[in-house]
Amino acid sequence: MPTPERRPAGPARVPVHGTATPPRVEIIPPRRRRAWPIRAAAAVSALGVAAVLAGLYSPVPAPPPAAATVTLSVPPSSTIPGTPPVLPWPAQGQAVVEVAGIGRLGSSGVPKPAPIASVAKVMTAYVVLADHPLTPGSDGPTLTVSPAEAAAYPAQLAANQSLVKVTAGEVLTERQALTALLLPSADNIAQILARWDAGGAPAFVARMNATAARFGMTDTRYTDPSGLDHGTVSTAADQVKLAERAMTVPALAQLVALPRATLPVACLVTNYNTLIGQDGIVGIKTGSTLAAGGCLVFAARFTVGGREVLVLGAVLGQAGPLPKLLPAVFGATQRLVQAATAAVGPQVLVHAGEVVGTVGRRRLVTTRDLTVLGWPGLAVPVTAQVRQDGTGSLDAGGGSVPVAAVG
C-alpha cells in the first residue's frame, strides 16, 4: 500500500507570546488502480510474492525527526525605552495630537463635547465629496445660487457671519463652492451646499451625524452645516478621527492646503488658516466664535528617516476677545506641531543579537537592530514569522529584521 505523501510545511505565523503551530500535513489519498487484464494476473501474483519476500528483508525507514518547537519570549507589544516627550499643551480648552499610523502623542484638557464653530465645515465638505467625488483635475458638477439665497446675504452680513458674496443665478462648480466653504469659511455656502446635496439643511445634517456615528465620533453632534449654531458640538479627539479620514480624500486635502483662490463673484479669497506652509502645516480648518473660542484642526507633513509622517491634531476652546481667538489657537498649534515633529524619530526597539525566543534547544536572535519610527514611551505591536528551522523575521512599526537560530 503506498505511503501517504506529505507536503512541505511553509512559514508558520507565530504569536509573539505563544508557540508555533505545527505545520499542517495534508494526506493525499492513494490513487485507485485500474483492473488489470486477467491474462496478467499470474505475472502480477508472482511479482507480488517476490516483492513481499524482498520486503521482509528490507530495512525499515526511520521515522522523521520531531519538529522543533518555536517559542518566542518578546511580548506582543514593546515600549520604546526612554523618557516620553512632554508637549507644550495649551492651558485652556482641550487638545489632541496624533501621528497617523503610529500613535497618539498625548492630549490635554477635559474631553467633553463643546462648540466647534466652523471646524464643522470639515464634515460638510467630507459629506459633499462622498456624495459627489471630485476626480483629479475635475471641477465637478455645477450649482446655481437661488434668488432667496442671494437675498439672504445682507441679513447674514449684518449678523456678522463669515460669508462670500453671491448673486442670484451665479453658477459655481463644486470645487469652487468647496473652496469658498473651506478657505474663507463661508457660512452661506455651507447652506447652499446642503440644499444642493441633500435638498435642505435638515436632511444634510442627518447625513453629517450618520457619518460621525460611522467613524466612532461618539461625542459629536451636528445641528447645522456651518457650525454657527452652538448646538454643533464635538471633542478634540473626535475631530482628529475625522481629520484622518478627510486627509485621505485627495480633493479635500488639496483644497485645505491652498493659501488663496479666486471665485467668480467674490474674486480673490484667502484661507483663514494663516499657518499654511509653516512648519509643514498643510491644513485643515479654523473655527472661532465667542461660544467656541478659537479652534483649529490641523495637519502637518514632514519626512523623518526617509518616511513621510503626517501629524494630526485639534485645539479647541481657546478663549479671549473675538479678534484674538484665532491668533491664540495659532500660537498653541504651532508650539504643538514643532514639539511633535521634534519628538518623532527612528528608535531602536530590539537590538541586534538580542534573544527573542528559542527553536528547540537553540536560541533565536535578531541579526540586526529593529528600528521603528516613534518616540520614547510609545507601545509598538510586535509580531513574528518563524519557521521551524529557525529562520524568519521579527516585525514592528513598519520595520522588519531577520531572526536566526544559534547555539
Side-chain angles (χ1 to χ4, degrees):
M1 183 175 183
T3 304
E5 296 177 18
R6 290 181 182 268
R7 294 186 176 179
R13 183 173 286 274
V14 183
V16 292
H17 59 288
T19 304
T21 304
R24 178 185 175 191
V25 178
E26 182 179 351
I27 306 299
I28 301 176
R31 296 177 179 175
R32 181 178 295 175
R33 298 179 178 177
R34 295 181 179 178
W36 289 3
I38 295 177
R39 63 176 177 268
V44 172
S45 177
L47 290 172
V49 171
V52 170
L53 291 174
L56 293 175
Y57 299 98
S58 297
V60 178
T69 299
V70 178
T71 304
L72 294 175
S73 57
V74 292
S77 178
S78 293
T79 300
I80 297 174
T83 303
V86 179
L87 271 59
W89 299 106
Q92 56 183 334
Q94 55 183 290
V96 168
V97 178
E98 294 184 358
V99 181
I102 297 179
R104 178 177 288 191
L105 268 163
S107 62
S108 69
V110 180
K112 63 180 181 180
I116 57 173
S118 289
V119 165
K121 290 166 183 156
V122 176
M123 181 62 87
T124 303
Y126 187 92
V127 170
V128 168
L129 284 166
D131 292 341
H132 307 276
L134 283 178
T135 56
S138 168
D139 290 330
T142 61
L143 56 105
T144 303
V145 178
S146 72
E149 289 163 342
Y153 178 81
Q156 294 166 337
L157 188 63
N160 202 30
Q161 293 185 28
S162 180
L163 306 167
V164 294
K165 186 172 182 177
V166 294
T167 58
E170 178 183 355
V171 176
L172 295 168
T173 66
E174 179 185 353
R175 186 178 294 275
Q176 288 171 334
L178 289 170
T179 299
L181 176 81
L182 295 168
L183 272 63
S185 197
D187 295 332
N188 55 342
I189 296 295
Q191 297 291 338
I192 292 171
L193 279 168
R195 183 264 303 165
W196 176 73
D197 180 83
F204 187 83
V205 168
R207 294 187 186 185
M208 296 172 73
N209 284 313
T211 304
R214 192 168 69 251
F215 292 169
M217 299 167 63
T218 55
D219 291 320
T220 297
R221 177 173 175 262
Y222 295 100
T223 58
D224 73 316
S226 69
L228 186 63
D229 189 276
H230 301 165
T232 289
V233 296
S234 188
T235 61
D238 274 5
Q239 288 304 306
V240 170
K241 290 180 183 179
L242 176 58
E244 186 166 10
R245 301 280 191 132
M247 292 302 290
T248 66
V249 180
L252 206 161
Q254 181 187 33
L255 288 171
V256 296
L258 294 173
R260 64 191 63 85
T262 302
L263 299 175
V265 173
C267 298
L268 182 67
V269 295
T270 57
N271 196 330
Y272 268 116
N273 186 358
T274 57
L275 295 183
I276 295 294
Q278 302 180 47
D279 298 306
I281 295 173
V282 292
I284 66 174
K285 188 68 189 77
T286 60
S288 61
T289 62
L290 287 176
C295 303
L296 179 64
V297 176
F298 61 87
R301 295 188 190 276
F302 67 102
T303 301
V304 57
R307 177 177 166 186
E308 186 178 86
V309 175
L310 178 65
V311 174
L312 297 166
V315 180
L316 305 180
Q318 301 306 291
L322 192 60
K324 295 185 178 180
L325 295 182
L326 287 181
V329 78
F330 289 155
T333 297
Q334 203 158 19
R335 289 187 291 271
L336 287 174
V337 169
Q338 291 169 353
T341 54
V344 181
Q347 307 284 338
V348 176
L349 191 67
V350 181
H351 290 276
E354 190 170 328
V355 177
V356 294
T358 58
V359 180
R361 296 183 178 181
R362 295 181 297 167
R363 291 172 293 121
L364 191 66
V365 300
T366 52
T367 61
R368 62 173 185 264
D369 289 348
L370 175 56
T371 302
V372 300
L373 279 184
W375 51 88
L378 175 68
V380 182
V382 180
T383 59
Q385 297 185 73
V386 183
R387 302 174 183 86
Q388 289 172 332
D389 63 358
T391 61
S393 65
L394 192 68
D395 313 298
S400 181
V401 295
V403 295
V406 299

